[in-house]
Amino acid sequence: MGLITVVFGLVVVFALPDNVHTCWFLNEDEKLYILENVVRVNQTGTKNTKFKKEQVCELIKDKYTWLFVLITLCSQIVTGAIGTFGVTITLTFGFNNYQSALLQMPIGALVVIIIFITTQLVAKFGNHTLFMASMFFPSIIGAIVLIISPSKVGNLLALYLLYSGSSSITLIYAWIGANTAGSSKKFLRSSMVMISFSIACIIGPQLFQAYSAPAYHPAKIVILITQCLSIPITLFIGIYGSYRY
């Protein structure tokens, strides 16, 4: 899996343009049209490799930055939890080791489907805030079922539902790219969110302590609470971004 990641990374380096000017699949008229839209309408600018200190100060003072950090931490604790303990959780449902390993296989396809559907809905209808907030409802239902259900099939389906909230990180990254002006500020804000994502993935596994095995109710309750909190935080970011100016 690591080798596949490295190879795909090399493909991205050489095949994916890093800005409009080097975009090989656009003609000159299309490049001019996009640049006009980026600079004049969105005001997010084009790629600039010069590091600007004033943008760092602006980034730190901008409450929007810390809201992105907060939503990433809150929404992605579930990623660290189910990413590390997915097989262990499945074992507690009554499946054996072999079955638990096999039952992780559909997750990749499920995540691709969730991300594809949500990104296409955002692209078509444009309401990023509501569509992202809606991703946490399946996770909330899944967390509740995991806490109360004795059925191993029901628990398994509930575990799969948690990946809806986990997949929200895709829309968080897209949100930052569409709402951050200045290359230095965008780079640093993205880095802070990536660090927050990593911290969340460290916190998640720590929820599963030996004393709470095999039910791991404290971990499931924390997942439920953080997914519930992600909805008002997401809505607040959307409202704040719309009316702050």
Side-chain angles (χ1 to χ4, degrees), residues 122-144:
V122 170
K124 183 174 180 62
F125 298 104
N127 200 321
H128 194 122
T129 304
L130 290 181
F131 284 119
M132 181 170 154
S134 70
M135 296 179 75
F136 300 112
F137 285 102
S139 289
I140 292 171
I141 294 171
I144 293 172

Side-chain angles (χ1 to χ4, degrees), residues 71-89 104 107 111 139 159 162-169 194-209 216 219-220 222-223 226-227:
I71 186 59
T72 303
L73 283 171
C74 196
S75 67
Q76 297 307 304
I77 285 177
V78 66
T79 301
I82 61 179
T84 303
F85 280 89
V87 176
T88 303
I89 296 171
Q104 307 307 303
I107 291 172
V111 170
S139 289
L159 179 65
L162 294 182
Y163 285 90
S164 178
S166 174
S167 300
S168 64
I169 188 64
M194 289 179 184
I195 292 170
S196 302
F197 174 76
S198 299
I199 293 172
C201 288
I202 293 172
I203 294 172
Q206 306 308 313
L207 302 176
F208 293 84
Q209 298 294 324
Y216 298 111
K220 295 172 183 176
V222 171
I223 289 172
T226 52
Q227 291 298 288

